[in-house]
Amino acid sequence: MSSARVDYIAPWWTYWLHNFPHINLRLRPIDDRFQPEDADYQQSLIFLGCVAAAGLGLNLLFLAIYLSCLCCARKDDEDAGDTKKKGSCCVTWSAVTAGLISCMAVGVGFYGNSETNDGVYQLTYSMYNANHTLGGVDSLVTSTMGNMQRGLQQHLARLDEIFATRGDYVQTLQFMQQMADSVIKQLLGLPDWMEAQVDLASVAGQTAHIEYCRWLTYLLLLILNLVICLLSCLGLAKQSRWLLTTMMVCGVLTLILSWASLGADLATAVGTSDFCVAPDKYLMSQTKGIISADILHYYVYCNQTLSNPFQKSLTVFQRSLTTMQIQIQGLLQFAVPLFPSAEGDLQGIQNLLNSSEAGLHQLTALLDCRGLNKDYLDALVGVCYDGVEGLLYLSLFSMLAACSFCIMLCAIPRAWRQIASREREYDDMDEEDPFNPRAHRAAHSHHAAHPNMHSFCSYSSSMGSQSSLHPPAPPTAVSNAPIADYMNQAALFGGNPRYENVPLIGRGSPPPSYSPSMRATYLSMTEEQSRHYGNDFQA
């Protein structure tokens, strides 16, 4: 039989993680072997989570000091303009940097979450497949033993009564009973796979449930990171103080979750790597007393140097069935003509032996090491390659997310302060100032509320009032649209029309660019003034 085994080689990152210091909560180094039932080993994994908690504490302390310094800082009046420009540029670049790092973190997180899920799925699939193999072995052994103990004995008991007068036939039946007892003995010598089968199914089910909860939790965390980043950028763009405040609170909570996930991922990756470095030793310790060492070696290593531990039992089983088949063929040939009533029981025994032989071939295939060894290697590859690699990417995601939210939490208070300062400057401006944006918006709203406001034009001059001038009726209708525009501008810039904003008609000076109708009106008015006042206007 050629070897179908592909040797398992632990990846380099498992050795790197395995070399992490294993220290219990009493700060004492312990053995780095994978032994999850040991209290000190559990404390060493908890210690890694405590390291991440310490990193969270330092991060929050840094943010507290930074915010305290920001609140206590005072700006110089002479450098207020330059400081504001530099602060705005700093906030912009900080927001851009935080957004890029957050997007990178989310991408890495999605990849790591998918890789971890694929690895755990491969583990559970292999466990269920191995459980199906062991269940098939147990089912074949149970059915064969049932046939030999109940079905065969019933047929032999009736044939013993039929062949009571023939001692040679009775001896043949007794010999067949001995062969059946030998088969039962060989089957009882096989290991009881029921306990291992139940354990595998239970572990696979629990692992699948935990992995689904982990996958869903990380998916929600990734979506939360992305939403907070987008809303923070929206708050900066809209200069919304309440949105920035809300995102700052959410950012602090997400920062805590990022450090917590980093501690959990790191502890899980180190523990899994401890198993991946020497998985055979752990299996040997866990199956001691349940499965013999030679059987476990046969399935774990599955090479040509190891003989099949079940070969002897299977060979005896095969020889016993063959001998019984020969005996039944002889009875069918010589006993049936003498005892026709024995034909039914002899046919029943033959069918039973045929089904037992078919079961023997299936049992031989299931007990071969190649099937279970493939499941074992697939499970190791899923856990130690895809699973641990995914945990490393998730750890990187947690670090990038923590860095991103730390930058964001530093930038949001500066933006919040700039928005508040800008609003205070608007409050300090004069409401009558034409360059005040609020006054400008109020004027627009006032103009929109009175769209039919009539414009008027003053014809007063330094020489007389409107009542002293009697311009003749214009030959054509004169449009007062430019005059209305001037009056509207006068209303926008103070509410009262100013003399400088009134058209130059009637002030002895023609406007530089008016329509032909207004120019004709001006010339007719000028001629009337010349006749009325003489040469007073002439230089």
Side-chain angles (χ1 to χ4, degrees):
M1 179 182 65
S2 60
S3 176
R5 172 181 170 83
V6 179
D7 291 335
Y8 164 75
I9 300 176
W12 63 266
W13 53 80
T14 58
Y15 287 101
W16 177 66
L17 291 170
H18 178 66
N19 291 328
F20 273 33
H22 291 67
I23 302 174
N24 59 15
L25 297 180
R26 296 186 297 274
L27 302 181
R28 296 178 180 176
I30 64 169
D31 189 7
D32 57 1
R33 290 181 303 172
F34 182 69
Q35 39 190 352
E37 66 281 352
D38 185 68
D40 287 337
Y41 184 81
Q42 295 174 1
Q43 291 179 8
S44 68
L45 299 181
I46 296 175
F47 179 80
L48 295 175
C50 293
V51 172
L56 172 61
L58 292 176
N59 196 347
L60 294 178
L61 180 61
F62 165 76
L63 290 176
I65 295 174
Y66 173 79
L67 294 178
S68 300
C69 295
L70 186 63
C71 292
C72 297
R74 292 292 182 265
K75 297 181 180 180
D76 296 334
D77 294 336
E78 57 184 1
D79 297 334
D82 295 338
T83 305
K84 183 183 299 183
K85 184 181 297 183
K86 293 179 181 178
S88 177
C89 183
C90 180
V91 169
T92 301
W93 282 107
S94 297
V96 171
T97 303
L100 291 177
I101 296 177
S102 180
C103 293
M104 186 186 305
V106 170
V108 171
F110 271 110
Y111 178 77
N113 197 32
S114 177
E115 282 292 299
T116 305
N117 184 257
D118 291 342
V120 177
Y121 173 78
Q122 190 170 350
L123 169 66
T124 55
Y125 179 81
S126 299
M127 294 177 70
Y128 279 122
N129 197 20
N131 180 76
H132 177 73
T133 300
L134 297 178
V137 171
D138 184 77
S139 176
L140 287 173
V141 170
T142 302
S143 61
T144 303
M145 290 180 62
N147 291 336
M148 292 296 173
Q149 289 177 344
R150 291 187 298 272
L152 183 62
Q153 288 182 356
Q154 291 177 0
H155 289 297
L156 291 177
R158 286 195 292 267
L159 289 174
D160 188 65
E161 295 179 357
I162 296 174
F163 297 150
T165 58
R166 293 292 303 265
D168 53 344
Y169 293 162
V170 173
Q171 289 180 358
T172 302
L173 296 178
Q174 292 176 355
F175 180 74
M176 292 179 62
Q177 182 64 52
Q178 293 176 0
M179 293 294 102
D181 293 339
S182 177
V183 169
I184 294 174
K185 181 180 179 181
Q186 299 303 321
L187 293 176
L188 290 175
L190 297 177
D192 186 9
W193 300 102
M194 182 59 68
E195 185 175 357
Q197 173 195 357
V198 173
D199 289 341
L200 281 178
S202 177
V203 171
Q206 293 177 2
T207 303
H209 177 71
I210 294 173
E211 169 57 21
Y212 175 75
C213 296
R214 186 210 61 80
W215 175 83
L216 184 61
T217 301
Y218 264 98
L219 184 63
L220 295 178
L221 182 61
L222 291 168
I223 295 175
L224 179 63
N225 276 264
L226 192 59
V227 169
I228 291 178
C229 179
L230 293 177
L231 291 180
S232 299
C233 294
L234 180 62
L236 291 173
K238 295 292 185 179
Q239 297 184 355
S240 175
R241 294 172 63 182
W242 71 268
L243 185 57
L244 290 178
T245 303
T246 304
M247 290 302 102
M248 188 172 182
V249 175
C250 295
V252 173
L253 296 177
T254 310
L255 182 66
I256 296 174
L257 291 177
S258 298
W259 280 101
S261 63
L262 175 61
D265 293 336
L266 187 60
T268 306
V270 171
T272 307
S273 298
D274 294 338
F275 168 78
C276 293
V277 168
D280 302 341
K281 294 181 180 180
Y282 179 72
L283 289 178
M284 295 290 182
S285 63
Q286 291 298 309
T287 57
K288 185 180 297 184
I290 301 176
I291 302 174
S292 62
D294 58 339
I295 294 177
L296 188 61
H297 274 83
Y298 173 70
Y299 286 111
V300 169
Y301 299 106
C302 191
N303 52 33
Q304 293 179 347
T305 60
L306 297 175
S307 60
N308 189 343
F310 309 109
Q311 187 62 45
K312 182 179 180 180
S313 299
L314 295 176
T315 301
V316 173
F317 189 2
Q318 177 66 47
R319 290 176 178 175
S320 300
L321 289 179
T322 302
T323 302
M324 294 172 70
Q325 288 279 15
I326 295 174
Q327 298 297 326
I328 290 297
Q329 289 294 335
L331 291 177
L332 285 173
Q333 182 177 3
F334 298 105
V336 169
L338 299 176
F339 302 97
S341 60
E343 183 178 4
D345 289 316
L346 291 175
Q347 289 290 346
I349 293 176
Q350 189 176 33
N351 293 334
L352 188 147
L353 293 176
N354 290 335
S355 63
S356 298
E357 188 173 4
L360 172 64
H361 294 309
Q362 295 179 11
L363 185 61
T364 303
L366 290 176
L367 289 176
D368 188 79
C369 66
R370 287 173 292 184
L372 290 176
N373 181 256
K374 181 180 181 301
D375 296 331
Y376 174 66
L377 292 179
D378 289 344
L380 287 181
V381 170
V383 172
C384 302
Y385 281 82
D386 294 339
V388 178
E389 183 184 6
L391 290 175
L392 289 177
Y393 278 106
L394 289 178
S395 300
L396 179 59
F397 152 73
S398 299
M399 291 188 289
L400 291 176
C403 180
S404 172
F405 283 106
C406 186
I407 296 174
M408 187 180 299
L409 291 175
C410 292
I412 287 178
R414 281 185 172 273
W416 195 88
R417 185 174 180 177
Q418 289 180 7
I419 295 172
S421 176
R422 189 176 295 110
E423 290 183 354
R424 286 196 301 268
E425 291 177 0
Y426 287 162
D427 293 336
D428 293 339
M429 295 177 69
D430 187 6
E431 293 294 337
E432 299 297 329
D433 189 354
F435 297 101
N436 187 354
R438 293 185 176 180
H440 188 65
R441 289 193 296 267
H444 272 294
S445 61
H446 177 75
H447 178 64
H450 302 281
N452 296 325
M453 181 179 67
H454 296 284
S455 62
F456 59 91
C457 179
S458 175
Y459 292 97
S460 62
S461 67
S462 60
M463 302 300 296
S465 63
Q466 174 72 18
S467 60
S468 63
L469 298 177
H470 302 282
T476 58
V478 179
S479 173
N480 63 347
I483 305 176
D485 291 340
Y486 276 103
M487 293 302 99
N488 292 338
Q489 293 178 7
L492 290 175
F493 284 93
N496 296 321
R498 295 185 292 179
Y499 186 77
E500 290 77 10
N501 293 328
V502 180
L504 300 179
I505 299 174
R507 296 179 58 188
S509 176
S513 59
Y514 272 140
S515 63
S517 60
M518 294 190 68
R519 187 173 182 85
T521 304
Y522 163 74
L523 293 175
S524 63
M525 290 172 60
T526 304
E527 292 175 358
E528 179 67 22
Q529 289 175 355
S530 298
R531 289 194 301 269
H532 189 275
Y533 293 102
N535 297 326
D536 292 340
F537 290 104
Q538 297 179 2

